[in-house]
Amino acid sequence: MAPELSSNWKILQARLKAGSASKPASSSSASASPSAPANNKKRKSASDDQDSKPKNKRTRTSSFPKKQPTNTTSATSSTEKMGAVSSQPVTSTAPLTNQPSIQFLRQNHGISQESLSEAYNLTISPTLLSSLPSHPNQGLSPTASLDRTKYLAIDCEMVGFGPGGVDSSLARVSITDFHGTQIYDSYVLQREKVTDWRTAVSGIAPKHMRDARPFSEVQAEVAELLKGRIVVGHDVKHDLKCLDLDHPMKMIRDTAKFSGFKKYGNGPKPALKALAKEILGLEIQTGQHSSIEDARVAMLLFRKHKPAFDMEHANRYPEDVKTKQKPNKAGKGKKSKRK
Protein backbone atom coordinates (compact mmCIF):
# COMPACT_ATOMS: atom_id res chain seq x y z
CA MET A 1 0.00 0.00 0.00
CA ALA A 2 1.44 3.39 -1.06
CA PRO A 3 2.15 5.83 1.71
CA GLU A 4 -0.27 8.69 2.11
CA LEU A 5 0.90 12.03 0.69
CA SER A 6 1.31 14.95 3.04
CA SER A 7 -1.02 17.90 2.90
CA ASN A 8 1.72 20.17 1.47
CA TRP A 9 2.46 17.82 -1.35
CA LYS A 10 -1.23 17.68 -2.20
CA ILE A 11 -1.40 21.43 -2.43
CA LEU A 12 1.66 21.47 -4.76
CA GLN A 13 0.09 18.86 -7.09
CA ALA A 14 -3.09 20.91 -7.24
CA ARG A 15 -1.13 23.99 -8.29
CA LEU A 16 0.72 22.02 -10.99
CA LYS A 17 -2.53 20.72 -12.42
CA ALA A 18 -3.99 24.20 -12.46
CA GLY A 19 -0.91 25.48 -14.33
CA SER A 20 -1.13 22.75 -16.98
CA ALA A 21 -4.78 23.59 -17.50
CA SER A 22 -3.93 27.28 -18.19
CA LYS A 23 -1.35 26.52 -20.97
CA PRO A 24 -3.87 26.06 -23.84
CA ALA A 25 -5.37 29.47 -23.02
CA SER A 26 -2.01 31.17 -23.22
CA SER A 27 -1.18 29.47 -26.49
CA SER A 28 -4.48 30.56 -27.97
CA SER A 29 -3.81 34.16 -26.91
CA ALA A 30 -0.40 33.95 -28.47
CA SER A 31 -1.87 32.87 -31.80
CA ALA A 32 -4.38 35.73 -31.63
CA SER A 33 -1.51 38.35 -31.42
CA PRO A 34 1.27 37.42 -33.84
CA SER A 35 3.27 40.55 -33.07
CA ALA A 36 3.96 39.41 -29.54
CA PRO A 37 6.74 36.97 -30.47
CA ALA A 38 8.46 39.67 -32.49
CA ASN A 39 8.37 42.04 -29.54
CA ASN A 40 9.69 39.30 -27.31
CA LYS A 41 12.51 38.67 -29.78
CA LYS A 42 13.40 42.39 -29.84
CA ARG A 43 13.42 42.56 -26.09
CA LYS A 44 15.45 39.37 -25.95
CA SER A 45 17.98 40.68 -28.44
CA ALA A 46 18.28 43.92 -26.50
CA SER A 47 18.79 42.01 -23.30
CA ASP A 48 21.31 39.74 -25.03
CA ASP A 49 23.25 42.80 -26.26
CA GLN A 50 23.36 44.22 -22.79
CA ASP A 51 24.51 40.88 -21.43
CA SER A 52 27.18 40.60 -24.13
CA LYS A 53 28.78 43.95 -23.17
CA PRO A 54 31.69 43.60 -20.75
CA LYS A 55 30.83 44.76 -17.30
CA ASN A 56 33.21 47.08 -15.50
CA LYS A 57 32.66 47.13 -11.81
CA ARG A 58 34.66 50.35 -11.35
CA THR A 59 32.56 52.48 -13.68
CA ARG A 60 30.02 54.59 -11.93
CA THR A 61 26.75 55.56 -13.48
CA SER A 62 25.47 59.02 -12.68
CA SER A 63 21.99 59.23 -11.27
CA PHE A 64 21.47 62.57 -13.05
CA PRO A 65 20.19 62.48 -16.62
CA LYS A 66 22.32 64.00 -19.35
CA LYS A 67 21.18 67.46 -20.35
CA GLN A 68 20.65 67.68 -24.07
CA PRO A 69 20.96 71.11 -25.78
CA THR A 70 17.63 72.45 -26.89
CA ASN A 71 19.13 74.28 -29.89
CA THR A 72 21.94 72.42 -31.63
CA THR A 73 22.74 75.26 -34.02
CA SER A 74 23.22 77.86 -31.32
CA ALA A 75 25.33 75.52 -29.24
CA THR A 76 27.63 74.83 -32.19
CA SER A 77 27.97 78.47 -33.09
CA SER A 78 28.81 79.45 -29.53
CA THR A 79 31.47 76.78 -29.41
CA GLU A 80 32.98 78.02 -32.66
CA LYS A 81 33.03 81.60 -31.40
CA MET A 82 34.78 80.63 -28.21
CA GLY A 83 37.39 78.66 -30.13
CA ALA A 84 37.89 81.48 -32.66
CA VAL A 85 38.49 84.07 -29.95
CA SER A 86 40.97 81.93 -28.08
CA SER A 87 42.88 80.97 -31.23
CA GLN A 88 43.22 84.46 -32.74
CA PRO A 89 46.70 86.02 -32.42
CA VAL A 90 47.05 88.99 -30.12
CA THR A 91 47.53 92.16 -32.13
CA SER A 92 48.54 95.57 -30.82
CA THR A 93 48.97 98.95 -32.48
CA ALA A 94 51.98 99.77 -30.31
CA PRO A 95 54.94 97.39 -30.85
CA LEU A 96 56.51 95.83 -27.80
CA THR A 97 59.86 97.38 -27.08
CA ASN A 98 62.41 97.64 -24.31
CA GLN A 99 63.37 101.16 -25.30
CA PRO A 100 63.08 103.44 -22.26
CA SER A 101 61.37 106.78 -22.34
CA ILE A 102 63.66 109.32 -24.03
CA GLN A 103 62.13 112.13 -21.98
CA PHE A 104 62.76 110.13 -18.77
CA LEU A 105 66.39 109.52 -19.61
CA ARG A 106 66.97 113.12 -20.60
CA GLN A 107 65.41 114.63 -17.50
CA ASN A 108 66.36 112.14 -14.81
CA HIS A 109 69.75 110.90 -15.94
CA GLY A 110 71.37 113.99 -17.41
CA ILE A 111 71.68 112.54 -20.92
CA SER A 112 71.55 115.04 -23.76
CA GLN A 113 68.91 114.72 -26.45
CA GLU A 114 71.65 114.49 -29.07
CA SER A 115 73.26 111.48 -27.35
CA LEU A 116 69.89 109.78 -27.03
CA SER A 117 69.11 110.40 -30.68
CA GLU A 118 72.41 108.84 -31.71
CA ALA A 119 72.00 105.89 -29.35
CA TYR A 120 68.50 105.07 -30.59
CA ASN A 121 69.13 106.11 -34.20
CA LEU A 122 66.41 108.77 -34.14
CA THR A 123 66.82 110.67 -37.40
CA ILE A 124 64.89 113.44 -39.11
CA SER A 125 63.29 112.40 -42.35
CA PRO A 126 63.98 114.97 -45.10
CA THR A 127 60.36 114.71 -46.20
CA LEU A 128 59.21 115.82 -42.74
CA LEU A 129 61.14 119.09 -42.74
CA SER A 130 58.28 120.92 -44.42
CA SER A 131 55.83 119.65 -41.78
CA LEU A 132 57.79 121.14 -38.88
CA PRO A 133 56.06 124.31 -37.65
CA SER A 134 57.67 127.69 -38.27
CA HIS A 135 56.84 130.86 -36.36
CA PRO A 136 58.47 133.92 -37.94
CA ASN A 137 59.56 136.70 -35.59
CA GLN A 138 58.51 134.73 -32.50
CA GLY A 139 61.71 135.49 -30.65
CA LEU A 140 62.71 132.81 -28.16
CA SER A 141 60.31 129.90 -28.41
CA PRO A 142 58.27 129.48 -25.20
CA THR A 143 58.50 125.70 -25.56
CA ALA A 144 62.25 125.60 -26.17
CA SER A 145 64.06 123.03 -24.02
CA LEU A 146 67.73 123.96 -23.77
CA ASP A 147 68.76 122.41 -20.45
CA ARG A 148 70.97 119.78 -22.09
CA THR A 149 71.04 120.92 -25.72
CA LYS A 150 74.52 120.59 -27.21
CA TYR A 151 74.03 121.49 -30.91
CA LEU A 152 72.27 124.50 -32.45
CA ALA A 153 71.94 125.36 -36.14
CA ILE A 154 71.91 129.00 -37.25
CA ASP A 155 71.13 130.87 -40.45
CA CYS A 156 70.69 134.56 -41.21
CA GLU A 157 69.18 136.73 -43.94
CA MET A 158 70.76 140.03 -44.92
CA VAL A 159 69.77 143.19 -46.72
CA GLY A 160 72.07 145.65 -48.53
CA PHE A 161 73.09 149.14 -47.53
CA GLY A 162 75.57 151.68 -48.82
CA PRO A 163 76.21 152.46 -52.48
CA GLY A 164 74.64 149.80 -54.65
CA GLY A 165 73.57 147.78 -51.59
CA VAL A 166 76.86 145.90 -51.62
CA ASP A 167 77.38 145.89 -47.85
CA SER A 168 75.27 143.43 -45.84
CA SER A 169 73.23 144.10 -42.73
CA LEU A 170 71.49 141.53 -40.53
CA ALA A 171 67.72 141.46 -41.14
CA ARG A 172 66.65 138.08 -39.75
CA VAL A 173 68.19 135.32 -37.66
CA SER A 174 66.85 131.80 -37.08
CA ILE A 175 68.08 129.06 -34.75
CA THR A 176 66.93 125.42 -34.56
CA ASP A 177 67.96 122.55 -32.31
CA PHE A 178 69.32 119.09 -33.09
CA HIS A 179 65.87 117.85 -34.14
CA GLY A 180 65.00 120.84 -36.33
CA THR A 181 62.69 122.42 -33.77
CA GLN A 182 62.60 126.19 -33.92
CA ILE A 183 64.36 127.77 -30.96
CA TYR A 184 64.63 131.39 -32.00
CA ASP A 185 63.53 133.61 -34.87
CA SER A 186 63.49 137.38 -35.13
CA TYR A 187 63.50 140.22 -37.63
CA VAL A 188 66.11 142.89 -36.90
CA LEU A 189 65.67 146.65 -37.09
CA GLN A 190 68.11 148.33 -39.46
CA ARG A 191 70.67 150.77 -38.13
CA GLU A 192 71.57 151.98 -41.60
CA LYS A 193 69.49 153.10 -44.53
CA VAL A 194 68.66 150.06 -46.64
CA THR A 195 69.51 150.53 -50.30
CA ASP A 196 68.66 146.98 -51.41
CA TRP A 197 66.16 144.84 -49.58
CA ARG A 198 67.10 141.81 -51.69
CA THR A 199 63.49 140.62 -51.27
CA ALA A 200 63.67 138.16 -54.16
CA VAL A 201 66.34 136.22 -52.26
CA SER A 202 66.13 137.24 -48.61
CA GLY A 203 62.34 137.43 -48.40
CA ILE A 204 62.74 140.60 -46.31
CA ALA A 205 60.52 143.60 -47.07
CA PRO A 206 59.97 146.96 -45.35
CA LYS A 207 56.75 145.63 -43.74
CA HIS A 208 58.79 143.19 -41.67
CA MET A 209 60.47 146.06 -39.85
CA ARG A 210 57.25 147.08 -38.08
CA ASP A 211 57.62 144.43 -35.35
CA ALA A 212 61.36 143.88 -35.68
CA ARG A 213 63.58 143.89 -32.57
CA PRO A 214 66.58 146.16 -32.03
CA PHE A 215 69.93 144.77 -33.09
CA SER A 216 71.39 144.93 -29.56
CA GLU A 217 68.51 142.87 -28.15
CA VAL A 218 68.81 140.20 -30.83
CA GLN A 219 72.59 140.09 -30.48
CA ALA A 220 72.41 139.54 -26.73
CA GLU A 221 69.76 136.80 -27.00
CA VAL A 222 71.62 134.93 -29.72
CA ALA A 223 74.94 135.19 -27.85
CA GLU A 224 73.32 133.63 -24.78
CA LEU A 225 71.88 130.78 -26.83
CA LEU A 226 75.17 129.96 -28.57
CA LYS A 227 77.30 130.19 -25.46
CA GLY A 228 79.00 126.86 -24.70
CA ARG A 229 77.23 125.06 -27.54
CA ILE A 230 78.35 123.67 -30.90
CA VAL A 231 77.10 125.82 -33.77
CA VAL A 232 76.08 124.14 -37.01
CA GLY A 233 75.51 126.08 -40.22
CA HIS A 234 76.51 126.79 -43.78
CA ASP A 235 79.35 129.30 -44.09
CA VAL A 236 78.88 130.21 -40.43
CA LYS A 237 81.50 132.95 -40.39
CA HIS A 238 79.22 135.27 -42.40
CA ASP A 239 76.36 134.74 -39.94
CA LEU A 240 78.60 135.46 -36.96
CA LYS A 241 80.09 138.50 -38.70
CA CYS A 242 76.71 140.17 -39.30
CA LEU A 243 75.83 139.45 -35.66
CA ASP A 244 79.17 140.91 -34.57
CA LEU A 245 79.83 137.80 -32.47
CA ASP A 246 82.81 135.53 -31.94
CA HIS A 247 82.63 131.78 -31.40
CA PRO A 248 85.47 129.28 -30.92
CA MET A 249 86.34 127.60 -34.21
CA LYS A 250 86.50 124.20 -32.51
CA MET A 251 82.84 124.70 -31.53
CA ILE A 252 81.68 125.15 -35.15
CA ARG A 253 80.56 122.50 -37.63
CA ASP A 254 80.39 124.14 -41.05
CA THR A 255 78.77 122.25 -43.93
CA ALA A 256 80.46 124.62 -46.40
CA LYS A 257 83.93 123.60 -45.17
CA PHE A 258 83.41 119.90 -44.58
CA SER A 259 85.83 117.98 -46.81
CA GLY A 260 83.26 115.29 -47.57
CA PHE A 261 81.01 117.83 -49.34
CA LYS A 262 83.61 119.51 -51.54
CA LYS A 263 82.86 117.22 -54.48
CA TYR A 264 79.38 118.74 -54.75
CA GLY A 265 80.65 122.27 -55.40
CA ASN A 266 81.86 123.88 -58.60
CA GLY A 267 83.98 126.39 -56.70
CA PRO A 268 85.89 126.35 -53.40
CA LYS A 269 82.74 125.49 -51.43
CA PRO A 270 79.41 123.89 -52.38
CA ALA A 271 76.12 125.76 -52.16
CA LEU A 272 73.58 124.69 -49.54
CA LYS A 273 71.00 124.25 -52.30
CA ALA A 274 73.27 121.81 -54.15
CA LEU A 275 73.98 119.80 -50.98
CA ALA A 276 70.29 119.57 -50.16
CA LYS A 277 69.49 118.23 -53.61
CA GLU A 278 72.41 115.83 -54.03
CA ILE A 279 72.57 114.42 -50.50
CA LEU A 280 69.05 114.82 -49.11
CA GLY A 281 67.02 114.89 -52.31
CA LEU A 282 65.40 118.19 -51.26
CA GLU A 283 64.60 121.21 -53.37
CA ILE A 284 65.17 124.40 -51.39
CA GLN A 285 65.66 128.08 -52.21
CA THR A 286 63.48 127.82 -55.30
CA GLY A 287 62.24 131.33 -54.56
CA GLN A 288 62.68 133.51 -51.50
CA HIS A 289 64.99 131.96 -48.92
CA SER A 290 63.80 130.86 -45.49
CA SER A 291 66.41 131.10 -42.76
CA ILE A 292 64.51 128.55 -40.66
CA GLU A 293 64.50 126.05 -43.52
CA ASP A 294 68.19 126.63 -44.27
CA ALA A 295 69.13 126.08 -40.62
CA ARG A 296 67.19 122.83 -40.54
CA VAL A 297 68.82 121.58 -43.74
CA ALA A 298 72.29 122.39 -42.39
CA MET A 299 71.55 120.43 -39.22
CA LEU A 300 70.19 117.50 -41.23
CA LEU A 301 73.33 117.42 -43.39
CA PHE A 302 75.48 117.44 -40.27
CA ARG A 303 73.49 114.66 -38.61
CA LYS A 304 73.61 112.49 -41.71
CA HIS A 305 77.44 112.59 -41.72
CA LYS A 306 78.09 113.26 -38.04
CA PRO A 307 80.70 110.49 -37.53
CA ALA A 308 82.79 111.93 -40.39
CA PHE A 309 82.37 115.45 -39.00
CA ASP A 310 83.56 114.24 -35.59
CA MET A 311 86.56 112.46 -37.07
CA GLU A 312 87.60 115.52 -39.06
CA HIS A 313 87.20 117.71 -35.98
CA ALA A 314 89.35 115.35 -33.89
CA ASN A 315 92.13 115.46 -36.50
CA ARG A 316 91.93 119.25 -36.78
CA TYR A 317 91.77 119.93 -33.03
CA PRO A 318 93.55 117.04 -31.27
CA GLU A 319 94.16 119.16 -28.18
CA ASP A 320 90.41 119.45 -27.72
CA VAL A 321 90.13 115.66 -27.41
CA LYS A 322 92.92 115.60 -24.82
CA THR A 323 91.22 118.36 -22.84
CA LYS A 324 88.04 116.32 -22.62
CA GLN A 325 89.96 113.37 -21.18
CA LYS A 326 91.75 115.34 -18.43
CA PRO A 327 88.82 115.76 -16.00
CA ASN A 328 88.34 111.98 -15.84
CA LYS A 329 91.98 111.42 -14.90
CA ALA A 330 91.84 114.15 -12.29
CA GLY A 331 88.67 112.71 -10.88
CA LYS A 332 90.28 109.29 -10.51
CA GLY A 333 93.22 110.86 -8.72
CA LYS A 334 90.93 112.55 -6.20
CA LYS A 335 89.14 109.31 -5.48
CA SER A 336 92.43 107.51 -4.86
CA LYS A 337 93.49 110.18 -2.36
CA ARG A 338 90.23 109.87 -0.46
CA LYS A 339 90.76 106.13 -0.17
Side-chain angles (χ1 to χ4, degrees):
M1 183 175 180
E4 187 179 357
L5 298 174
S6 64
S7 60
N8 291 335
W9 180 249
K10 291 179 179 180
I11 293 171
L12 178 59
Q13 283 183 341
R15 288 182 179 178
L16 291 173
K17 290 180 180 180
S20 61
S22 62
K23 281 183 180 179
S26 61
S27 62
S28 61
S29 63
S31 61
S33 57
S35 62
N39 292 335
N40 292 335
K41 289 181 179 180
K42 290 181 179 179
R43 292 174 183 173
K44 186 176 181 180
S45 61
S47 62
D48 293 340
D49 293 339
Q50 291 180 357
D51 295 338
S52 63
K53 292 181 180 179
K55 294 182 180 180
N56 190 356
K57 295 182 180 180
R58 294 184 181 181
T59 58
R60 297 180 181 179
T61 57
S62 175
S63 60
F64 299 100
K66 294 183 180 181
K67 187 176 180 181
Q68 298 295 334
T70 57
N71 190 352
T72 309
T73 306
S74 62
T76 307
S77 62
S78 63
T79 306
E80 290 176 356
K81 289 181 180 179
M82 290 178 64
V85 172
S86 62
S87 61
Q88 286 179 353
V90 179
T91 58
S92 175
T93 55
L96 298 176
T97 175
N98 293 326
Q99 177 174 323
S101 170
I102 300 248
Q103 190 72 7
F104 173 79
L105 289 173
R106 186 173 67 84
Q107 292 181 353
N108 298 293
H109 294 274
I111 305 175
S112 66
Q113 59 179 346
E114 295 87 358
S115 299
L116 290 171
S117 297
E118 289 184 75
Y120 292 104
N121 195 25
L122 302 178
T123 59
I124 307 174
S125 173
T127 57
L128 295 179
L129 282 181
S130 58
S131 64
L132 293 174
S134 300
H135 305 284
N137 203 38
Q138 186 184 43
L140 181 64
S141 174
T143 60
S145 179
L146 298 170
D147 50 349
R148 295 182 180 91
T149 300
K150 184 179 179 181
Y151 299 90
L152 290 177
I154 189 172
D155 191 79
C156 299
E157 300 295 343
M158 287 83 156
V159 294
F161 70 95
V166 178
D167 298 324
S168 297
S169 174
L170 178 66
R172 184 184 181 185
V173 56
S174 302
I175 297 176
T176 64
D177 68 0
F178 193 71
H179 303 287
T181 305
Q182 178 179 320
I183 300 297
Y184 185 86
D185 187 84
S186 179
Y187 294 117
V188 183
L189 281 173
Q190 296 305 298
R191 297 171 292 173
E192 303 285 345
K193 182 180 178 180
V194 178
T195 56
D196 186 2
W197 289 96
R198 306 175 186 174
T199 307
V201 177
S202 67
I204 305 298
K207 63 180 181 180
H208 294 128
M209 296 296 107
R210 298 170 188 169
D211 300 321
R213 295 172 178 82
F215 175 84
S216 59
E217 178 183 338
V218 173
Q219 182 190 45
E221 291 175 340
V222 172
E224 185 63 26
L225 288 172
L226 302 185
K227 184 179 179 181
R229 294 186 171 92
I230 296 176
V231 178
V232 179
H234 191 78
D235 214 0
V236 182
K237 67 178 182 179
H238 291 296
D239 298 321
L240 295 175
K241 182 179 180 180
C242 68
L243 279 161
D244 198 15
L245 292 176
D246 291 327
H247 201 72
M249 291 298 297
K250 63 182 181 180
M251 299 287 287
I252 294 175
R253 305 292 186 270
D254 200 329
T255 56
K257 294 184 177 180
F258 177 55
S259 60
F261 295 161
K262 288 184 177 180
K263 60 183 178 181
Y264 298 106
N266 295 325
K269 56 186 178 182
L272 183 64
K273 182 177 181 178
L275 294 177
K277 183 177 181 179
E278 295 294 334
I279 300 175
L280 304 177
L282 292 176
E283 291 284 350
I284 65 171
Q285 301 177 356
T286 54
Q288 295 178 349
H289 294 194
S290 169
S291 52
I292 295 179
E293 181 182 56
D294 291 351
R296 286 170 173 165
V297 169
M299 180 62 81
L300 188 56
L301 287 168
F302 166 70
R303 288 187 60 173
K304 192 174 182 65
H305 295 271
K306 187 177 181 299
F309 269 92
D310 293 340
M311 182 64 68
E312 187 167 284
H313 174 272
N315 294 332
R316 188 175 297 174
Y317 303 100
E319 68 279 0
D320 188 38
V321 178
K322 295 179 181 179
T323 305
K324 290 181 181 179
Q325 295 175 352
K326 285 182 180 179
N328 294 333
K329 294 181 180 179
K332 290 181 180 179
K334 289 181 180 179
K335 288 182 181 179
S336 61
K337 287 181 181 180
R338 289 178 183 176
K339 289 180 181 179

